[in-house]
Coordinates of all heavy atoms in Angstrom, one line a residue:
K87 N 119.8 104.6 85.2 CA 120.0 106.0 84.9 C 121.1 106.6 85.8 O 121.4 106.0 86.8 CB 118.7 106.8 85.2 CG 117.5 106.3 84.5 CD 116.2 107.0 85.0 CE 115.0 106.5 84.3 NZ 113.8 107.3 84.7
P88 N 121.8 107.6 85.3 CA 122.8 108.2 86.1 C 122.4 108.6 87.5 O 123.2 108.4 88.5 CB 123.2 109.5 85.3 CG 122.9 109.1 83.9 CD 121.7 108.3 84.0
E89 N 121.1 108.9 87.7 CA 120.6 109.3 89.0 C 120.4 108.1 89.9 O 120.1 108.2 91.1 CB 119.3 110.0 89.0 CG 118.2 109.4 88.1 CD 118.2 110.0 86.7 OE1 119.3 110.2 86.1 OE2 117.1 110.2 86.2
D90 N 120.6 106.9 89.4 CA 120.6 105.7 90.2 C 122.0 105.4 90.9 O 122.1 104.5 91.7 CB 120.3 104.4 89.4 CG 118.8 104.5 88.9 OD1 117.9 104.9 89.7 OD2 118.6 104.1 87.7
T91 N 123.0 106.2 90.5 CA 124.3 106.1 91.1 C 124.3 106.3 92.6 O 123.8 107.3 93.1 CB 125.3 107.1 90.4 OG1 125.4 106.7 89.1 CG2 126.6 107.0 91.1
A92 N 124.8 105.3 93.4 CA 124.8 105.3 94.8 C 125.4 104.1 95.4 O 125.7 103.1 94.6 CB 123.3 105.4 95.3
V93 N 125.6 104.1 96.7 CA 126.0 102.9 97.4 C 124.6 102.2 97.8 O 123.8 102.9 98.4 CB 126.8 103.1 98.6 CG1 127.1 101.8 99.4 CG2 128.1 103.8 98.2
Y94 N 124.5 101.0 97.4 CA 123.2 100.2 97.7 C 123.5 99.3 98.9 O 124.4 98.6 98.9 CB 122.8 99.4 96.5 CG 122.2 100.3 95.4 CD1 122.9 101.2 94.7 CD2 120.8 100.2 95.2 CE1 122.3 102.0 93.7 CE2 120.2 101.0 94.2 CZ 121.0 101.9 93.5 OH 120.4 102.7 92.5
Y95 N 122.5 99.4 99.8 CA 122.6 98.7 101.1 C 121.4 97.7 101.2 O 120.3 98.1 100.9 CB 122.5 99.6 102.3 CG 123.7 100.5 102.4 CD1 123.7 101.8 101.8 CD2 124.9 100.2 103.1 CE1 124.8 102.6 101.9 CE2 125.9 101.0 103.2 CZ 125.9 102.3 102.6 OH 127.0 103.1 102.7
C96 N 121.7 96.5 101.7 CA 120.7 95.5 102.0 C 120.4 95.7 103.5 O 121.3 95.9 104.3 CB 121.3 94.2 101.7 SG 120.4 92.8 102.3
A97 N 119.1 95.5 103.9 CA 118.8 95.6 105.3 C 117.7 94.5 105.6 O 116.9 94.1 104.8 CB 118.2 97.0 105.6
A98 N 117.7 94.1 106.9 CA 116.8 93.1 107.4 C 116.0 93.7 108.5 O 116.5 94.4 109.4 CB 117.5 91.9 107.8
R99 N 114.7 93.3 108.6 CA 113.8 93.8 109.6 C 113.0 92.6 110.2 O 112.5 91.8 109.4 CB 112.8 94.7 108.9 CG 111.6 95.1 109.6 CD 110.8 96.1 108.8 NE 109.5 96.3 109.4 CZ 109.3 97.0 110.4 NH1 110.2 97.7 110.9 NH2 108.1 97.2 110.9
S100 N 113.0 92.5 111.5 CA 112.4 91.4 112.2 C 110.9 91.6 112.5 O 110.2 90.6 112.6 CB 113.2 91.1 113.5 OG 113.1 92.2 114.3
R101 N 110.5 92.8 112.5 CA 109.1 93.1 112.8 C 108.2 92.8 111.6 O 108.6 92.9 110.5 CB 108.9 94.5 113.3 CG 109.3 94.6 114.8 CD 109.7 96.0 115.1 NE 111.0 96.3 114.6 CZ 111.7 97.5 114.8 NH1 111.1 98.4 115.5 NH2 112.8 97.7 114.2
S102 N 106.9 92.4 111.9 CA 106.1 91.7 110.9 C 105.2 92.7 110.2 O 104.0 92.4 110.1 CB 105.3 90.6 111.6 OG 104.5 91.2 112.6
W103 N 105.7 93.7 109.6 CA 105.0 94.5 108.6 C 106.0 95.2 107.7 O 107.1 95.4 108.1 CB 104.0 95.5 109.3 CG 104.7 96.6 110.1 CD1 105.1 97.8 109.7 CD2 104.9 96.5 111.5 NE1 105.7 98.5 110.8 CE2 105.5 97.7 111.9 CE3 104.7 95.5 112.5 CZ2 105.9 98.0 113.2 CZ3 105.0 95.8 113.8 CH2 105.6 97.0 114.2
I104 N 105.5 95.6 106.5 CA 106.3 96.2 105.5 C 106.7 97.6 106.0 O 105.8 98.3 106.6 CB 105.6 96.3 104.2 CG1 105.6 95.0 103.5 CG2 106.2 97.4 103.3 CD1 106.8 94.7 102.7
S105 N 107.9 98.1 105.8 CA 108.3 99.4 106.2 C 109.3 100.0 105.2 O 110.1 99.3 104.7 CB 108.9 99.5 107.6 OG 109.4 100.8 107.8
T106 N 109.1 101.3 104.9 CA 110.0 101.9 104.0 C 111.0 102.9 104.7 O 111.7 103.6 104.1 CB 109.2 102.7 102.9 OG1 108.5 103.7 103.5 CG2 108.3 101.8 102.1
D107 N 110.9 102.9 106.0 CA 111.7 103.7 106.9 C 112.9 103.0 107.3 O 112.9 102.0 108.0 CB 110.8 104.1 108.1 CG 111.5 105.2 109.0 OD1 112.7 105.4 108.8 OD2 110.8 105.8 109.8

Side-chain angles (χ1 to χ4, degrees):
K87 304 175 180 180
E89 51 264 43
D90 294 318
T91 295
V93 177
Y94 282 71
Y95 296 90
C96 170
R99 168 181 168 76
S100 59
R101 281 154 286 184
S102 57
W103 62 88
I104 286 276
S105 175
T106 63
D107 186 345

